[in-house]
Amino acid sequence: QKFAMIEFGAVVVDKIGLYEKECYSTLIKPKRDAALAPLSKQSIRCNGITDRMLDKAPRFEDVADNIYRILHDRIWAGHNIVRFDNRRIEEEFKRIGKAPPVPKGVIDTYPLLRASFGAKRAGNLKMATLGHYFGLGAERHRALEDSRMNIEVLKNCATVLFLEQYAEQAMKESVEDSATLQPDEELDAKLLGLDFEDDAVEVGEKMKALKIGESTEQKKLNAAQIQLKDRLQKMMDSRTKVLLDYSGGKPGVRPIIPISWDRSNKFKALCVRSGIEKFYLLERVVGIHQETEEADRKSV
């Protein structure tokens, strides 16, 4: 049997929180030769990709730079990727005479879960089985969807192992009411310039009064974010290209087209320069400007 890459998909996640930062996916038209037959019926039944869908798809050499950019010098994580996916990527790059991307590290979740999570919980530990086990739905066998399911499976496994390890210990601990300040309250008192060795009730009242100002300022920030969110929603509805002033990643102004909200404080947008969809946090948005506004601002 000869393998041919017909689709690529990858999701970049933040190392803290594992939330999605950007993604890239594309169908790939395989290079036909005497040894490569049309797609098998089994393959089409599995993922729904047909020869007709691939007719107008780009060839691997057309998207190789995008794949290299999103993979090189990053930690690669996936299910059974050491035995399959990584080899296919290396083969395709060698076929077009280019150096393949090199991972900073590799996390193969199949042997990892087999050693830590155990097959007794979820049968054969295939991605489809794990997806049903955690109620994530059926595996579609499409590159991007399976990458996202892989992330959620890993999160769910980690949660189960964490709860099993600490639940019994947590249940034994009891919370006792005390008239003294707790360690975290002592730290708050120091930061607010109070003497935590004073009477605990008195210090508590002072801390409550001082934090009113902090709460009011937080409401102002929320109001500003709500106003910004409303403006972004209008741009999503009209698919307007805007200039985003952002403090995360590489700080600076970049042209984007807002697409949709992922959750209340995170939105997806198309990066005009790279042609890749990325995710942005609302709290890191310094400002948004239409190109005419930016030109006027620079002339002033």
Side-chain angles (χ1 to χ4, degrees):
Q1 183 179 10
K2 185 171 182 179
F3 292 103
M5 187 181 294
I6 59 174
E7 187 178 35
F8 173 87
V11 176
V12 178
V13 297
D14 193 89
K15 63 181 179 181
I16 301 175
L18 296 182
Y19 65 83
E20 186 173 327
K21 293 176 67 177
E22 67 173 289
C23 64
Y24 176 72
S25 67
T26 180
L27 290 172
I28 296 173
K29 184 177 182 178
K31 184 177 180 180
R32 298 293 183 187
D33 54 36
L36 185 61
L39 295 175
S40 66
K41 292 181 180 180
Q42 182 182 358
S43 173
I44 295 171
R45 282 197 304 268
C46 178
N47 52 46
I49 299 174
T50 64
D51 283 291
R52 188 174 180 179
M53 291 169 64
L54 300 177
D55 280 344
K56 295 183 180 179
R59 296 189 183 279
F60 185 82
E61 46 266 44
D62 299 323
V63 295
D65 289 343
N66 289 336
I67 294 175
Y68 185 92
R69 183 198 63 79
I70 205 166
L71 289 180
H72 183 64
D73 201 32
R74 282 191 162 121
I75 296 173
W76 298 3
H79 207 63
N80 204 29
I81 60 172
V82 171
R83 295 180 59 187
F84 189 80
D85 303 70
N86 293 11
R87 294 180 183 180
R88 303 289 86 80
I89 290 168
E90 185 176 359
E91 287 171 3
E92 289 293 333
F93 273 93
K94 286 183 176 179
R95 182 182 63 78
I96 63 171
K98 287 191 174 184
V102 179
K104 186 183 291 185
V106 176
I107 300 173
D108 193 326
T109 54
Y110 179 69
L112 176 67
L113 295 181
R114 187 173 55 190
S116 59
F117 195 68
K120 292 181 180 179
R121 305 169 191 263
N124 57 19
L125 290 181
K126 289 183 178 180
M127 188 55 59
T129 308
L130 290 164
H132 284 298
Y133 180 80
F134 289 115
L136 299 173
E139 184 182 18
R140 289 194 59 200
H141 296 285
R142 295 298 300 271
L144 198 58
E145 287 87 342
D146 286 2
S147 295
R148 287 179 173 139
M149 178 178 277
N150 203 161
I151 295 167
E152 295 307 313
V153 163
L154 189 58
K155 287 180 182 178
N156 276 278
C157 289
T159 301
V160 170
L161 293 172
F162 175 83
L163 290 174
E164 287 182 348
Q165 184 176 354
Y166 292 103
E168 187 176 350
Q169 175 185 345
M171 289 175 65
K172 292 179 180 179
E173 295 177 353
S174 60
V175 180
E176 299 179 356
D177 292 330
S178 174
T180 60
L181 292 172
Q182 299 301 313
D184 57 338
E185 292 175 316
E186 293 178 359
L187 179 59
D188 285 344
K190 286 181 179 179
L191 294 173
L192 292 169
L194 301 175
D195 184 359
F196 62 85
E197 291 182 355
D198 288 345
D199 178 76
V201 176
E202 182 182 351
V203 172
E205 289 299 319
K206 288 180 181 179
M207 288 172 65
K208 183 178 179 181
L210 284 169
K211 287 185 177 180
I212 291 175
E214 179 186 343
S215 176
T216 304
E217 182 64 25
Q218 185 63 35
K219 287 180 181 177
K220 289 181 182 178
L221 288 174
N222 290 338
Q225 289 175 355
I226 291 171
Q227 186 178 8
L228 183 62
K229 187 173 181 179
D230 289 340
R231 192 175 176 195
L232 275 167
Q233 184 60 56
K234 291 177 182 177
M235 293 171 177
M236 289 175 186
D237 295 338
S238 60
R239 301 287 287 183
T240 304
K241 183 169 76 170
V242 297
L243 297 173
L244 174 70
D245 193 353
Y246 196 65
S247 62
K250 294 181 180 178
V253 178
R254 65 208 71 183
I256 64 164
I257 299 176
I259 298 173
S260 62
W261 294 99
D262 182 64
R263 57 173 188 253
S264 61
N265 67 334
K266 188 171 76 168
F267 65 95
K268 180 167 68 173
L270 175 69
C271 179
V272 176
R273 290 172 184 165
S274 65
I276 294 174
E277 293 180 2
K278 299 182 180 181
F279 286 87
Y280 299 93
L281 290 174
L282 189 64
E283 63 196 43
R284 295 184 181 176
V285 175
V286 179
I288 50 175
H289 317 280
Q290 291 187 333
E291 288 186 295
T292 53
E293 294 177 3
E294 182 67 12
D296 292 341
R297 195 166 59 136
K298 286 182 178 178
S299 63
V300 173

